[in-house]
Amino acid sequence: MQKGVTLLELIFALAITGILVVLVMPAVAGLRDRYLVGTAAQAIASAHNRARIQAVLQSRVVDLEVRPDSLLIRATSGATAIPLWSEIGPAQNGITLGSPTRILTFAPTGITLGFANATFVLTRGSARRQVIVSRLGRVRIIP
């Protein structure tokens, strides 16, 4: 008696595996979308905190620019802007930023100047998160 599998058994096992993969793919894609959107929301919240701390530590006005392709922190000194930090934006992972480019300006005290609240809506597939930034520095991520 020989040990091993026949070609028919191998084809049957591959067919069952293929059917299972097709059934599981939508769930895995949804998990990936939720993970990427959550990571992008955390990146915006972290950039906000980083810009706020930079404004306080350097005792100068600091801008955070949130764009689909990048997050930028610049120190403002008169008419010139000195780049302090940058990171790729949500669009690099296929995430849509539902608001236009927005610049948040932080006073040397760490309080944001010029707006009441800013809301950034991030979407990819069926995953959606909102990052809400208050003027006094509170950042909330809403699923």
Side-chain angles (χ1 to χ4, degrees):
M1 178 154 69
Q2 294 180 343
K3 293 185 179 184
V5 294
T6 65
L7 182 60
L8 184 62
E9 291 171 332
L10 183 62
I11 290 172
F12 186 67
L14 288 175
I16 290 175
T17 303
I19 291 170
L20 290 175
V21 166
V22 168
L23 292 175
V24 171
M25 284 301 287
V28 171
L31 285 173
R32 184 169 189 259
D33 289 345
R34 285 193 297 276
Y35 171 75
L36 290 173
V37 169
T39 302
Q42 285 293 355
I44 290 174
S46 296
H48 178 271
N49 289 333
R50 182 182 298 254
R52 190 167 178 228
I53 290 169
Q54 287 290 330
V56 172
L57 290 177
Q58 295 187 13
S59 295
R60 62 165 68 172
V61 175
V62 172
D63 293 333
L64 167 63
E65 185 173 354
V66 179
R67 301 184 337 194
D69 62 341
S70 63
L71 305 172
L72 305 167
I73 297 176
R74 294 184 293 261
T76 307
S77 181
T80 61
I82 303 162
L84 299 175
W85 177 85
S86 68
E87 185 175 294
I88 61 170
Q92 299 295 326
N93 290 321
I95 298 168
T96 304
L97 182 62
S99 60
T101 298
R102 188 135 192 197
I103 298 175
L104 309 176
T105 304
F106 295 86
T109 59
I111 295 177
T112 312
L113 302 172
F115 70 91
N117 284 335
T119 302
F120 302 99
V121 179
L122 305 164
T123 56
R124 178 184 161 131
S126 62
R128 182 175 190 267
R129 294 264 171 113
Q130 287 183 343
V131 180
I132 301 173
V133 179
S134 76
R135 183 171 185 261
L136 298 176
R138 182 175 178 206
V139 179
R140 291 183 298 155
I141 299 174
I142 299 175

